[in-house]
Amino acid sequence: MNPNISSLPHKIIGVAVIWNNKKQILIDRRRQQGTMGGLWEFPGGKLEPGETIEECIKREIAEELAIEIEVGEHLITIDHDYTDLRVTLTVHECHHIKGIPQPLECDEIRWVNLEQLEEFNFPAANVQIIAALQQKIKSSVESGKV
């Protein structure tokens, strides 16, 4: 274990995998000038004091994309260390309820199929989210649920 890890800033992030009725997932591209600029990600943001993860996800999506979502089941929690930051990503599958997504806090947004996710460059921590989604779908298909 790296002894410097405990001195890194730690952010707890609520992350949304937002599905629409066409079985597409909403992703957004980070602004070029910020940290990990230009990479694609699943939308979400930092947990505020006194907030639940579900409240955080709903608030962040309203602020960043101007849409309303229903926060669904927990998909995965990921602890990841970047060189200058520790993050805990708590990921929930969500459903788009209403509104047209607007790129308020990002450069671009897209609805994509699960298979298309691998065509986009994501931050390292997000790769595990894609793997968890693929595994969940594969398990559903094998058990006859899809």
Side-chain angles (χ1 to χ4, degrees):
M1 172 139 176
N2 184 340
N4 298 325
I5 294 296
S6 61
S7 64
L8 289 177
H10 182 216
K11 286 187 181 177
I12 298 173
I13 311 286
V15 178
V17 174
I18 304 169
W19 294 91
N20 66 14
N21 291 331
K22 297 176 186 169
K23 300 214 182 294
Q24 294 172 312
I25 300 167
L26 187 68
I27 59 173
D28 67 71
R29 184 156 39 170
R30 298 172 72 96
R31 291 200 168 131
Q32 291 292 337
Q33 62 272 23
T35 305
M36 294 179 259
L39 295 178
W40 290 86
E41 67 180 355
F42 298 98
K46 196 172 114 191
L47 183 70
E48 298 294 340
E51 214 175 28
T52 66
I53 280 292
E54 292 83 359
E55 290 167 341
C56 166
I57 291 170
K58 210 167 183 157
R59 174 186 53 76
E60 286 285 346
I61 298 310
E63 290 173 3
E64 294 182 7
L65 301 168
I67 60 172
E68 187 179 330
I69 60 166
E70 177 185 337
V71 179
E73 66 182 65
H74 174 258
L75 177 67
I76 189 172
T77 297
I78 299 163
D79 286 305
H80 189 84
D81 299 328
Y82 290 102
T83 52
D84 59 342
L85 177 70
R86 282 176 58 219
V87 293
T88 298
L89 305 178
T90 303
V91 185
H92 281 258
E93 290 191 83
C94 302
H95 190 75
H96 178 232
I97 295 178
K98 69 179 180 184
I100 297 169
Q102 307 294 317
L104 302 177
E105 304 274 331
C106 60
D107 278 349
E108 187 180 350
I109 48 180
R110 278 199 204 165
W111 289 104
V112 298
N113 296 320
L114 179 60
E115 300 77 36
Q116 293 173 294
L117 289 175
E118 293 180 359
E119 299 169 18
F120 297 87
N121 289 322
F122 284 85
N126 281 235
V127 173
Q128 293 178 62
I129 299 171
I130 297 169
L133 282 167
Q134 290 168 333
Q135 184 58 45
K136 181 177 179 182
I137 297 299
K138 184 177 177 217
S139 296
S140 296
V141 168
E142 288 169 357
S143 67
K145 291 181 182 171
V146 174

